[in-house]
Amino acid sequence: MLHIIFFLIISLLIIKFFFLCNVPSLSKLQGKNVIITGASTGIGEEMAYICAKNGANIVIASRRTDLLEKVASKCKNISPNRPIKIITCDLKHEKDCEKLINLSVEFFNEIDNKPEIDMLILNHAMSLFEHMDFNNPKLMIEKLRDITMSNLIGFATLSHLTIPYMISNSSKREFKSIIVLSSLMSTISLGMSWAYSTSKAAINSYFSSLNEELEYQEFQNQIKITLCQLGSINTITMRSHTDKYFPKLLVDYIALNAEVTAKIILQSGLNGQKELWYPSYGILLRYAYGIFPGIMRKIGFCIQKYLIKK
């Protein structure tokens, strides 16, 4: 067992070293047409600021117009000469997904006569952290359906609507990016995260298949999908859930900085890497679940029983 753990740690260090040696400059965002969903707060908001600072043409989307307007205003202060568009939409609805892509393409075409999408960042998410109510099955199914429609079907719909605007007959070798935000909760599932973990696990499976399909149809040099497996990020949305159930000191210790996370995500997308594990020890947890599933489930159960606030 020790030699397995040693091998995993060495593998992690090699992967981390390789990534650090191949970190692309964020200046590569200059002039790119970028769509960011869930951009009104948190990681999406931070990515909008980074894109603005580095000269991208940006579309930011969310359900909350007032917050989007604040983000857009700050982006304009950061980079007064770069265009930005806000689109209010609820991406669990197919019509809103179509609206986002159609209006974005029109916007990009107006700017530089280039109706193309260089980077799609799928960041929006519905979350749920509560015990199942076995006396109310209809409500449980409704909650699962809502989260799945937003987190999985919304992601898939936007990807399929975007891909035609990424495929090019040009000999230009620069690839387009689809950045998909998933979660370590897809691997480390607690009972209370049942709906959220289900949707994120489905996202992992779907986009892994989409990556394979792009390669099979020989589009792998034109479109790169980066699947980001993230730990707890210090955002308003995350804290609204975790602070209810976990000790504040613990959350403060494990929560990652949103701005730093946003930067690493964008660098991974620009680098065209297939997966990002952040924090990097997350990949060890995945292997641990594969090698010691019973032990890891027992740990998850103990966390839920003894660590989570009642």
Side-chain angles (χ1 to χ4, degrees):
M1 184 181 295
L2 288 176
H3 70 278
I4 295 175
I5 295 172
F6 177 75
F7 172 77
L8 292 175
I9 293 172
I10 294 299
S11 299
L12 174 63
L13 292 173
I14 292 172
I15 292 169
K16 193 167 185 178
F17 175 78
F18 178 80
F19 175 73
L20 290 173
C21 291
N22 291 274
V23 175
S25 170
L26 290 170
S27 63
K28 283 189 173 184
L29 290 166
Q30 176 72 38
K32 286 191 181 294
N33 295 337
V34 180
I35 300 173
I36 307 172
T37 69
S40 58
T41 60
I43 302 174
E45 177 184 0
E46 296 297 338
M47 285 193 281
Y49 300 148
I50 294 169
C51 287
K53 182 179 180 180
N54 288 277
N57 308 317
I58 316 167
V59 172
I60 54 175
S62 173
R63 290 175 294 176
R64 295 169 286 188
T65 306
D66 56 333
L67 294 179
L68 283 177
E69 288 174 344
K70 290 179 181 179
V71 175
S73 177
K74 189 169 180 179
C75 286
K76 288 175 182 176
N77 289 335
I78 292 170
S79 186
N81 298 322
R82 299 310 305 178
I84 183 168
K85 184 177 182 65
I86 67 172
I87 299 176
T88 306
C89 48
D90 186 347
L91 297 171
K92 70 172 180 269
H93 302 299
E94 184 177 345
K95 286 185 178 180
D96 278 24
C97 292
E98 292 173 349
K99 168 187 167 183
L100 173 58
I101 300 305
N102 291 338
L103 291 179
S104 297
V105 171
E106 288 177 12
F107 173 65
F108 295 142
N109 194 39
E110 289 171 4
I111 295 168
D112 56 10
N113 198 31
K114 190 179 80 168
E116 297 178 3
I117 299 169
D118 296 308
M119 181 177 285
L120 172 67
I121 303 174
L122 298 171
N123 169 66
H124 68 278
M126 288 182 66
S127 55
L128 181 70
F129 200 71
E130 64 182 31
H131 289 294
M132 295 182 186
D133 183 356
F134 294 118
N135 294 316
N136 199 340
K138 287 187 178 181
L139 179 61
M140 295 299 97
I141 293 168
E142 183 180 330
K143 288 184 176 183
L144 179 60
R145 182 183 294 112
D146 280 347
I147 286 183
T148 303
M149 289 301 296
S150 174
N151 296 4
L152 173 62
I153 305 302
F155 275 32
T157 302
L158 288 169
S159 298
H160 283 287
L161 292 171
T162 298
I163 284 172
Y165 296 104
M166 290 185 160
I167 294 172
S168 172
N169 294 320
S170 170
S171 59
K172 190 177 179 182
R173 293 186 175 276
E174 195 168 273
F175 60 83
K176 315 293 187 183
S177 302
I178 299 177
I179 299 176
V180 184
L181 271 65
S182 187
S183 169
L184 293 182
M185 296 302 292
S186 64
T187 301
I188 313 162
S189 180
L190 300 176
M192 294 180 73
S193 68
W194 57 280
Y196 180 76
S197 294
T198 298
S199 69
K200 291 299 185 180
I203 283 171
N204 294 350
S205 180
Y206 176 81
F207 281 96
S208 295
S209 297
L210 181 57
N211 231 338
E212 294 297 322
E213 191 64 16
L214 288 169
E215 187 170 350
Y216 179 77
Q217 297 192 30
E218 299 183 348
F219 292 124
Q220 73 273 18
N221 293 325
Q222 294 191 49
I223 303 171
K224 305 285 188 182
I225 296 175
T226 300
L227 187 57
C228 305
Q229 308 289 353
L230 304 178
S232 295
I233 314 299
N234 196 2
T235 65
I236 294 172
T237 302
M238 188 278 288
R239 296 302 295 250
S240 68
H241 293 286
T242 55
D243 286 1
K244 290 180 185 176
Y245 300 104
F246 293 96
K248 185 177 182 301
L249 286 175
L250 175 63
V251 178
D252 288 341
Y253 179 74
I254 66 172
L256 304 167
N257 180 273
E259 183 181 356
V260 173
T261 304
K263 181 180 178 181
I264 290 172
I265 289 169
L266 287 167
Q267 288 171 331
S268 299
L270 290 169
N271 210 25
Q273 67 188 73
K274 286 189 175 182
E275 285 190 339
L276 166 68
W277 290 82
Y278 186 71
S280 53
Y281 62 72
I283 196 168
L284 296 180
L285 295 176
R286 181 177 74 169
Y287 288 130
Y289 264 85
I291 300 170
F292 315 111
I295 295 173
M296 296 305 293
R297 290 194 187 98
K298 187 68 176 177
I299 291 172
F301 177 80
C302 290
I303 289 172
Q304 184 164 278
K305 186 170 183 180
Y306 300 113
L307 192 58
I308 294 176
K309 299 175 187 175
K310 303 299 183 183

PDB file of all heavy atoms in Angstrom, residues 197-208:
ATOM      1  N   SER A 197     -23.773  16.524  -6.593  1.00  0.00           N
ATOM      2  CA  SER A 197     -22.748  15.548  -6.972  1.00  0.00           C
ATOM      3  C   SER A 197     -23.166  14.737  -8.194  1.00  0.00           C
ATOM      4  O   SER A 197     -22.344  14.445  -9.070  1.00  0.00           O
ATOM      5  CB  SER A 197     -22.459  14.605  -5.801  1.00  0.00           C
ATOM      6  OG  SER A 197     -21.878  15.302  -4.722  1.00  0.00           O
ATOM      7  N   THR A 198     -24.448  14.380  -8.259  1.00  0.00           N
ATOM      8  CA  THR A 198     -24.963  13.640  -9.411  1.00  0.00           C
ATOM      9  C   THR A 198     -24.776  14.428 -10.691  1.00  0.00           C
ATOM     10  O   THR A 198     -24.317  13.896 -11.710  1.00  0.00           O
ATOM     11  CB  THR A 198     -26.453  13.316  -9.212  1.00  0.00           C
ATOM     12  OG1 THR A 198     -26.608  12.475  -8.069  1.00  0.00           O
ATOM     13  CG2 THR A 198     -27.033  12.607 -10.426  1.00  0.00           C
ATOM     14  N   SER A 199     -25.132  15.716 -10.651  1.00  0.00           N
ATOM     15  CA  SER A 199     -25.026  16.546 -11.859  1.00  0.00           C
ATOM     16  C   SER A 199     -23.568  16.715 -12.281  1.00  0.00           C
ATOM     17  O   SER A 199     -23.248  16.687 -13.480  1.00  0.00           O
ATOM     18  CB  SER A 199     -25.677  17.913 -11.633  1.00  0.00           C
ATOM     19  OG  SER A 199     -24.936  18.706 -10.724  1.00  0.00           O
ATOM     20  N   LYS A 200     -22.670  16.874 -11.327  1.00  0.00           N
ATOM     21  CA  LYS A 200     -21.262  17.078 -11.660  1.00  0.00           C
ATOM     22  C   LYS A 200     -20.619  15.790 -12.177  1.00  0.00           C
ATOM     23  O   LYS A 200     -19.770  15.826 -13.078  1.00  0.00           O
ATOM     24  CB  LYS A 200     -20.496  17.603 -10.441  1.00  0.00           C
ATOM     25  CG  LYS A 200     -20.874  19.028 -10.044  1.00  0.00           C
ATOM     26  CD  LYS A 200     -20.585  20.026 -11.161  1.00  0.00           C
ATOM     27  CE  LYS A 200     -20.847  21.456 -10.754  1.00  0.00           C
ATOM     28  NZ  LYS A 200     -20.568  22.421 -11.842  1.00  0.00           N
ATOM     29  N   ALA A 201     -21.005  14.649 -11.617  1.00  0.00           N
ATOM     30  CA  ALA A 201     -20.496  13.374 -12.125  1.00  0.00           C
ATOM     31  C   ALA A 201     -20.960  13.158 -13.568  1.00  0.00           C
ATOM     32  O   ALA A 201     -20.201  12.670 -14.414  1.00  0.00           O
ATOM     33  CB  ALA A 201     -20.971  12.233 -11.232  1.00  0.00           C
ATOM     34  N   ALA A 202     -22.201  13.545 -13.855  1.00  0.00           N
ATOM     35  CA  ALA A 202     -22.722  13.421 -15.214  1.00  0.00           C
ATOM     36  C   ALA A 202     -21.989  14.360 -16.170  1.00  0.00           C
ATOM     37  O   ALA A 202     -21.726  14.000 -17.329  1.00  0.00           O
ATOM     38  CB  ALA A 202     -24.225  13.729 -15.223  1.00  0.00           C
ATOM     39  N   ILE A 203     -21.651  15.560 -15.691  1.00  0.00           N
ATOM     40  CA  ILE A 203     -20.872  16.504 -16.499  1.00  0.00           C
ATOM     41  C   ILE A 203     -19.525  15.891 -16.875  1.00  0.00           C
ATOM     42  O   ILE A 203     -19.088  15.967 -18.028  1.00  0.00           O
ATOM     43  CB  ILE A 203     -20.673  17.834 -15.735  1.00  0.00           C
ATOM     44  CG1 ILE A 203     -21.962  18.659 -15.778  1.00  0.00           C
ATOM     45  CG2 ILE A 203     -19.505  18.631 -16.310  1.00  0.00           C
ATOM     46  CD1 ILE A 203     -21.939  19.874 -14.877  1.00  0.00           C
ATOM     47  N   ASN A 204     -18.863  15.263 -15.907  1.00  0.00           N
ATOM     48  CA  ASN A 204     -17.563  14.629 -16.175  1.00  0.00           C
ATOM     49  C   ASN A 204     -17.692  13.592 -17.289  1.00  0.00           C
ATOM     50  O   ASN A 204     -16.891  13.554 -18.224  1.00  0.00           O
ATOM     51  CB  ASN A 204     -17.031  13.953 -14.915  1.00  0.00           C
ATOM     52  CG  ASN A 204     -16.686  14.942 -13.826  1.00  0.00           C
ATOM     53  OD1 ASN A 204     -16.655  16.149 -14.045  1.00  0.00           O
ATOM     54  ND2 ASN A 204     -16.431  14.430 -12.638  1.00  0.00           N
ATOM     55  N   SER A 205     -18.687  12.746 -17.176  1.00  0.00           N
ATOM     56  CA  SER A 205     -18.881  11.682 -18.162  1.00  0.00           C
ATOM     57  C   SER A 205     -19.211  12.258 -19.529  1.00  0.00           C
ATOM     58  O   SER A 205     -18.654  11.835 -20.551  1.00  0.00           O
ATOM     59  CB  SER A 205     -20.009  10.754 -17.687  1.00  0.00           C
ATOM     60  OG  SER A 205     -20.223   9.711 -18.613  1.00  0.00           O
ATOM     61  N   TYR A 206     -20.105  13.235 -19.552  1.00  0.00           N
ATOM     62  CA  TYR A 206     -20.543  13.800 -20.831  1.00  0.00           C
ATOM     63  C   TYR A 206     -19.389  14.469 -21.577  1.00  0.00           C
ATOM     64  O   TYR A 206     -19.175  14.220 -22.783  1.00  0.00           O
ATOM     65  CB  TYR A 206     -21.673  14.804 -20.621  1.00  0.00           C
ATOM     66  CG  TYR A 206     -22.074  15.473 -21.913  1.00  0.00           C
ATOM     67  CD1 TYR A 206     -22.922  14.830 -22.807  1.00  0.00           C
ATOM     68  CD2 TYR A 206     -21.562  16.718 -22.257  1.00  0.00           C
ATOM     69  CE1 TYR A 206     -23.248  15.411 -24.014  1.00  0.00           C
ATOM     70  CE2 TYR A 206     -21.893  17.303 -23.464  1.00  0.00           C
ATOM     71  CZ  TYR A 206     -22.737  16.651 -24.336  1.00  0.00           C
ATOM     72  OH  TYR A 206     -23.050  17.227 -25.540  1.00  0.00           O
ATOM     73  N   PHE A 207     -18.631  15.317 -20.880  1.00  0.00           N
ATOM     74  CA  PHE A 207     -17.586  16.067 -21.581  1.00  0.00           C
ATOM     75  C   PHE A 207     -16.363  15.206 -21.894  1.00  0.00           C
ATOM     76  O   PHE A 207     -15.627  15.507 -22.839  1.00  0.00           O
ATOM     77  CB  PHE A 207     -17.215  17.323 -20.800  1.00  0.00           C
ATOM     78  CG  PHE A 207     -18.221  18.421 -21.000  1.00  0.00           C
ATOM     79  CD1 PHE A 207     -19.245  18.617 -20.092  1.00  0.00           C
ATOM     80  CD2 PHE A 207     -18.180  19.217 -22.129  1.00  0.00           C
ATOM     81  CE1 PHE A 207     -20.203  19.608 -20.291  1.00  0.00           C
ATOM     82  CE2 PHE A 207     -19.124  20.208 -22.345  1.00  0.00           C
ATOM     83  CZ  PHE A 207     -20.142  20.404 -21.425  1.00  0.00           C
ATOM     84  N   SER A 208     -16.155  14.136 -21.147  1.00  0.00           N
ATOM     85  CA  SER A 208     -15.122  13.171 -21.529  1.00  0.00           C
ATOM     86  C   SER A 208     -15.511  12.501 -22.837  1.00  0.00           C
ATOM     87  O   SER A 208     -14.679  12.318 -23.736  1.00  0.00           O
ATOM     88  CB  SER A 208     -14.938  12.129 -20.421  1.00  0.00           C
ATOM     89  OG  SER A 208     -14.433  12.726 -19.243  1.00  0.00           O
TER      90      SER A 208
END
